[in-house]
């Protein structure tokens, strides 16, 4: 028996009995536990690199509750690399205008006009079930082209045992239990991670004493495609803050901050939800309740994301409050960071210690996300009388004075973290732009044909701008590609110069498979590239 | 820039009077709100994070 914990929006991987259930335990190079967005992205990335991967999920598809709705540019860029970006952007809603209210009064309005010269917008709104479905669609496409990915639905992991260099998993299915073995286990099993519990690992942090009521409503009313956020909303019983935000298919996300001492059952009663929504939308607005839920929020992370051959990614490793949309967005960056490293280690091309850098780099990312989302939560829910006085003073001043607007914090949009001062980073050259320093993810730029990031396809790349690229196609067996660009012919808008050269005439970049910059120079150097690449695959100490 | 903790306000008695007058007739909570707004306005004017940090320290030492 496998428990059904939630309803399915899209049935994408129905249970099918496989021969392995009757055979003796089979060994897999990589097993991913959990087929949420992070597990699927991880499987897709590894499978596209040719590493066989098995995903076990205890359901048969994507859960109905939308949860995440805001997906940031970096996530879309990673999805592009994985072949899922177009579907997401085609379906998603783009918006620029946000309005902030305090009580009945409008505090200010902002327009997040995207910076020009990027293929993808700063973010899109898209229901999480669609996001996950498009990843699974991309898995199916990859499988059709021979990628060794297998998904087993209604396969619930119930026990795990570690033996030196492999683990055994007990799996429950509708046909009863079976056992399998894995050289590597990636736990993408969500915030309540059973794997983390089975290993007795801690997950410490801060619990915010607050409940948020989420109502996704379907309405065709003529509301603008904008983000409206209220502090101390004026409508009846609406709590401390409220949010109205558009999603595809005429669905609107409505969010009410209810406080700590509430009666969950009562608040979730559709009549009570409707009373709140009516008060917000005004009389006579016709809508249907699509999905409602009450959430509490935590900000916490595991100390280490890697424990031998068990690796944690996504919500199992870290959890943040949703203000700033950092959960799924940061989880996707986890797998972006992990997949190429695990692939090289499995292929014997990089030392096992390379995976320690996954933990170091992504824990750094998680800390940044936790810091940002804690700050937003503290602004939304002032924790003392004085902090509330300051919060309201900021909101008051922001109506008239531009200076106070940057202090208003209803969630800061997720941007990729820079792996500053991390051990894989190689040399930097003075005079080049700050934004593309080693550790940063590459900034997109329009080329004469297409966009730069589409030319960085998930392996190590040498990018030579206005200089000769050293003739290197591999280093210690690790494949290396080359992109040679001349700004006079390939840089129609000047974005490449601005983002990668600054005042300098020419530059050479070594770019990792996750499109983060490993090292850069202002001249061509084969020796430099070799050394930086070895360092970026964890062989730095051998230099 | 360093935090100036030497006398810097012309006509100190006049200034002090103006400060109190700004609070005249306000309730405790209105005064608290005014103080908070005043702090934010002044902090923005100063801008320099080191100076602001030193000012916070000086104020906390009391
Ligand atoms: C209200 C709300 C709003 C949010 N908004 C945003 C947003 O706008 N942007 C954003 O980026 N993020 C947002 N998030 C966060 C986002 O939803 C999560 O970060 C994301 O779902 C994490 O993905 P995951 O794959 O790590 O885990 P999950 O999505 O939790 O997936 C875990 C999977 O593992 C499976 N599983 C669990 N146990 C087992 C087992 N024993 N055996 C087999 N399978 C198992 C589960 O069934 C599930 O499929 C929001 C979250 C909430 C609650």
């Amino acid at each position: 028996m496998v428990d059904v914990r939630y309803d399915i929006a899209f049935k994408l991987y129905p249970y099918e009995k496989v021969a392995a259930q009757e055979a003796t335990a089979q060994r897999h190079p990589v097993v991913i536990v959990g087929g949420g967005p992070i597990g699927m992205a991880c499987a897709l990335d590894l499978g596209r690199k040719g590493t066989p991967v098995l995903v076990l999920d205890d359901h048969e598809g994507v859960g109905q509750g939308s949860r995440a709705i805001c997906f940031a540019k970096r996530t879309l860029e990673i999805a592009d690399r994985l072949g899922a970006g177009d579907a997401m952007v085609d379906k998603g809603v783009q918006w620029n205008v946000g309005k902030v209210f305090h009580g009945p009064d409008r505090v200010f309005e902002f327009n997040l006009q995207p910076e020009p010269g990027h293929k993808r917008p700063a973010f899109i709104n898209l229901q999480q079930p669609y996001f996950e479905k498009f990843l699974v669609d991309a898995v199916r496409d990859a499988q059709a082209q021979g990628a060794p990915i297998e998904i087993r639905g209604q396969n619930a992991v119930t026990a795990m045992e570690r033996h030196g260099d492999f683990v055994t998993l007990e799996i429950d299915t509708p046909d009863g239990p079976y056992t399998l073995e894995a050289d590597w286990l990636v736990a993408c099993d969500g915030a309540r991670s059973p794997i983390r519990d089975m290993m007795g690992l801690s997950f410490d942090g801060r619990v915010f004493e607050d409940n948020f009521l989420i109502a996704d409503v379907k309405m065709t009313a003529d509301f603008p495609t904008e983000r409206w956020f209220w502090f101390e909303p004026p409508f009846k019983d609406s709590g401390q803050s409220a949010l109205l935000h558009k999603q595809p298919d005429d669905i609107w996300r409505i969010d009410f901050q209810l406080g700590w001492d509430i009666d969950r059952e009562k608040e979730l009663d559709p009549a009570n939800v409707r009373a709140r929504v009516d008060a917000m939308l005004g009389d006579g607005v016709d809508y249907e309740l699509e999905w409602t839920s009450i959430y509490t929020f935590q900000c916490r992370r595991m100390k280490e994301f890697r424990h031998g051959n068990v690796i944690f990614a996504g919500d199992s490793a870290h959890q943040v409050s949703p203000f700033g949309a950092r959960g799924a967005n940061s989880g996707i960056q986890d797998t972006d960071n992990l997949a190429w490293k695990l692939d090289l280690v499995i292929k014997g091309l990089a030392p096992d210690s390379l995976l320690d850098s996954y933990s170091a780099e992504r824990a750094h990312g998680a800390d940044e996300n936790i810091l940002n989302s804690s700050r937003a939560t503290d602004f939304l829910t002032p924790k003392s009388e004085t902090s509330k006085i300051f919060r309201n003073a900021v909101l008051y001043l922001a109506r008239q004075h531009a200076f106070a607007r940057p202090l208003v914090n209803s969630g800061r949009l997720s941007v990729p973290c820079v792996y500053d001062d991390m051990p894989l980073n190689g040399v930097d050259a003075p005079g080049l732009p700050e934004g593309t320093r080693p550790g940063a993810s590459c900034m997109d730029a329009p080329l004469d044909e297409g966009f730069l990031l589409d030319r960085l396809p998930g392996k190590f790349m040498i990018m030579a701008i206005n200089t000769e690229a050293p003739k290197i196609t591999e280093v210690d067996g690790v494949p290396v590609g080359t992109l040679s660009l001349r700004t006079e012919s390939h840089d129609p808008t000047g974005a490449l110069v601005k983002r990668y050269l600054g005042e300098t005439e020419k530059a050479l970049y070594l770019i990792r498979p996750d499109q983060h910059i490993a090292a850069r120079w202002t001249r061509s150097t084969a020796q430099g590239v070799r050394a930086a690449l070895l360092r970026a695959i964890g062989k730095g100490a051998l230099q | 820039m360093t935090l100036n903790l030497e006398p810097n306000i012309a006509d100190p008695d006049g200034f002090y009077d103006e400060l109190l007058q700004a609070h005249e007739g306000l309730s405790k909570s209105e005064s608290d709100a005014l103080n908070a707004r005043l702090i934010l306005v002044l902090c923005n004017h100063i801008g320099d994070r080191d100076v602001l940090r030193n000012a916070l320290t000086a104020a906390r030492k009391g």
Side-chain angles (χ1 to χ4, degrees):
Chain A
M1 256 301 288
V2 180
D3 286 344
V4 176
R5 292 180 290 118
Y6 49 78
D7 295 334
I8 298 294
F10 302 111
K11 191 165 177 170
L12 300 175
Y13 30 89
Y15 171 73
E16 272 174 45
K17 190 168 178 177
V18 292
Q21 288 172 232
E22 305 291 352
T24 48
Q26 289 184 353
R27 178 76 67 89
H28 294 260
V30 187
V31 170
I32 296 174
V33 180
I38 311 311
M40 285 305 174
C42 188
L44 189 51
D45 213 346
L46 284 168
R48 284 168 58 106
K49 293 182 197 303
T51 289
V53 52
L54 169 65
V55 182
L56 303 173
D57 192 85
D58 57 356
H59 289 66
E60 294 190 300
V62 178
Q64 224 163 40
S66 170
R67 300 198 287 164
I69 61 166
C70 258
F71 293 93
K73 179 157 76 71
R74 182 67 197 138
T75 299
L76 299 173
E77 291 167 354
I78 295 167
D80 275 339
R81 188 172 63 67
L82 298 176
D86 284 340
M88 292 171 184
V89 175
D90 289 349
K91 183 74 191 172
V93 170
Q94 291 182 37
W95 59 278
N96 300 314
V97 173
K99 288 184 181 144
V100 176
F101 302 86
H102 189 192
D105 304 318
R106 181 141 116 208
V107 176
F108 69 102
E109 179 177 322
F110 55 82
N111 191 334
L112 297 168
Q113 269 306 340
E115 187 193 31
H118 295 261
K119 179 175 172 192
R120 293 310 185 193
F123 37 79
I124 58 167
N125 284 7
L126 180 70
Q127 291 89 324
Q128 183 164 337
Y130 280 121
F131 182 83
E132 295 188 40
K133 179 181 184 297
F134 296 145
L135 285 173
V136 178
D137 290 347
V139 167
R140 299 302 180 207
D141 289 346
Q143 284 171 325
Q145 287 165 40
I149 308 172
E150 187 185 349
I151 305 174
R152 293 187 193 160
Q154 273 205 350
N155 273 235
V157 176
T158 53
M160 188 206 35
E161 209 180 318
R162 301 177 72 189
H163 322 261
D165 59 354
F166 72 99
V167 301
T168 46
L169 296 174
E170 288 295 323
I171 298 154
D172 208 3
T173 74
D175 287 313
Y178 72 104
T179 306
L180 60 71
E181 297 174 353
D183 292 333
W184 294 93
L185 184 71
V186 187
C188 301
D189 49 351
R192 293 199 185 95
S193 175
I195 300 289
R196 198 183 57 223
D197 286 348
M198 289 170 201
M199 292 174 71
L201 297 167
S202 63
F203 196 43
D204 296 327
R206 194 171 153 200
V207 177
F208 290 89
E209 299 201 333
D210 223 320
N211 289 284
F212 290 78
L213 169 68
I214 296 198
D216 277 353
V217 310
K218 188 176 179 90
M219 64 175 176
T220 43
D222 222 2
F223 277 93
T225 306
E226 299 174 349
R227 179 186 195 261
W228 289 9
F229 192 92
W230 286 263
F231 293 94
E232 304 183 320
F235 13 96
K236 190 173 170 307
D237 292 335
S238 50
Q240 278 296 305
S241 70
L243 171 79
L244 178 69
H245 212 175
K246 174 131 204 246
Q247 304 173 59
D249 300 340
D250 297 318
I251 306 283
W252 296 78
R253 165 65 51 92
I254 300 178
D255 213 327
F256 298 105
Q257 187 185 349
L258 300 183
W260 190 229
D261 284 315
I262 61 156
D263 179 346
R264 282 177 74 98
E265 296 268 303
K266 194 178 129 228
E267 299 296 354
L268 279 173
D269 178 341
N272 288 326
V273 176
R274 291 196 76 97
R276 281 213 162 84
V277 174
D278 288 346
M280 179 193 239
L281 299 177
D283 284 339
V285 176
D286 213 19
Y287 63 87
E288 287 160 46
L289 291 180
E290 277 277 315
W291 178 67
T292 54
S293 183
I294 288 185
Y295 283 95
T296 56
F297 296 122
Q298 283 95 34
C299 282
R300 50 188 183 173
R301 74 160 167 94
M302 296 180 73
K303 259 207 173 77
E304 301 283 340
F305 297 177
R306 176 195 183 190
H307 293 262
N309 52 357
V310 181
I311 300 167
F312 293 82
D315 276 13
S316 68
H318 45 73
Q319 215 189 348
V320 293
S321 82
F323 301 102
R326 286 160 189 275
N329 284 312
S330 66
I332 294 291
Q333 290 170 54
D334 289 349
T335 65
D336 190 40
N337 189 295
L338 174 61
W340 67 270
K341 294 176 180 173
L342 188 54
D343 176 68
L344 289 180
V345 170
I346 288 171
K347 288 177 176 155
L349 294 172
D352 170 280
S353 60
L354 177 60
L355 293 165
D356 294 335
S357 74
Y358 160 72
S359 188
E361 290 181 338
R362 293 313 302 159
H364 171 68
D367 285 343
E368 199 171 285
N369 285 317
I370 288 172
L371 179 70
N372 275 294
S373 102
S374 301
R375 284 173 171 175
T377 312
D378 285 338
F379 194 86
L380 287 164
T381 327
K383 297 292 177 295
S384 68
E385 195 188 340
T386 300
S387 65
K388 183 156 186 180
I389 291 169
F390 274 113
R391 200 279 304 270
N392 286 349
V394 167
L395 291 172
Y396 186 89
L397 290 165
R399 294 176 200 199
Q400 276 197 36
H401 302 296
F403 90 82
R405 289 169 200 159
L407 296 172
V408 175
N409 189 347
S410 64
R412 303 271 182 238
L413 191 81
S414 157
V415 289
C417 103
V418 178
Y419 303 134
D420 278 324
D421 304 322
M422 289 286 156
L424 302 188
N425 294 354
V427 294
D428 193 6
L432 293 169
E434 162 105 6
T436 43
R437 64 191 182 275
S441 66
C442 282
M443 281 192 239
D444 207 358
L447 300 180
D448 54 327
E449 274 175 50
F451 280 83
L452 174 63
L453 293 188
D454 286 337
R455 306 279 285 276
L456 304 171
K459 60 177 185 174
F460 274 98
M461 293 292 293
I462 297 168
M463 178 169 75
I465 307 174
N466 297 341
T467 186
E468 197 70 28
K471 295 199 174 26
I472 297 178
T473 54
E474 53 96 23
V475 175
D476 272 15
V478 176
V480 181
T482 299
L483 179 61
S484 285
L485 299 169
R486 297 268 156 197
T487 50
E488 58 184 31
S489 49
H490 296 121
D491 185 27
T493 65
L496 196 65
V497 167
K498 185 159 166 254
R499 291 170 192 166
Y500 289 90
L501 294 181
E503 302 298 310
T504 313
E505 301 264 291
K506 54 190 181 167
L508 187 75
Y509 282 77
L510 178 67
I511 299 166
R512 309 190 328 188
D514 57 9
Q515 298 177 339
H516 279 255
I517 289 152
R520 58 182 184 173
W521 303 264
T522 45
R523 62 190 169 84
S524 187
T525 160
Q527 204 194 352
V529 166
R530 273 202 192 86
L533 194 139
L534 289 174
R535 193 182 171 99
I537 60 170
K539 290 185 174 176
L542 303 179
Q543 288 298 290
Chain B
M1 218 173 44
T2 52
L3 177 67
N4 186 357
L5 291 169
E6 297 305 317
N8 192 34
I9 299 175
D11 179 20
D13 291 347
F15 157 72
Y16 197 73
D17 210 21
E18 263 179 74
L19 180 64
L20 294 190
Q21 265 177 37
H23 285 271
E24 197 69 17
L26 300 186
S27 67
K28 168 81 168 92
S29 63
E30 286 165 342
S31 264
D32 286 347
L34 172 69
N35 279 336
R37 294 199 292 270
L38 183 63
I39 290 168
L40 291 167
V41 167
L42 295 175
C43 287
N44 181 66
H45 182 80
I46 294 165
D48 185 312
R49 287 290 300 278
D50 288 332
V51 175
L52 291 172
R53 207 170 294 119
N54 290 336
L56 288 169
T57 311
R60 261 199 92 111
K61 273 194 201 136

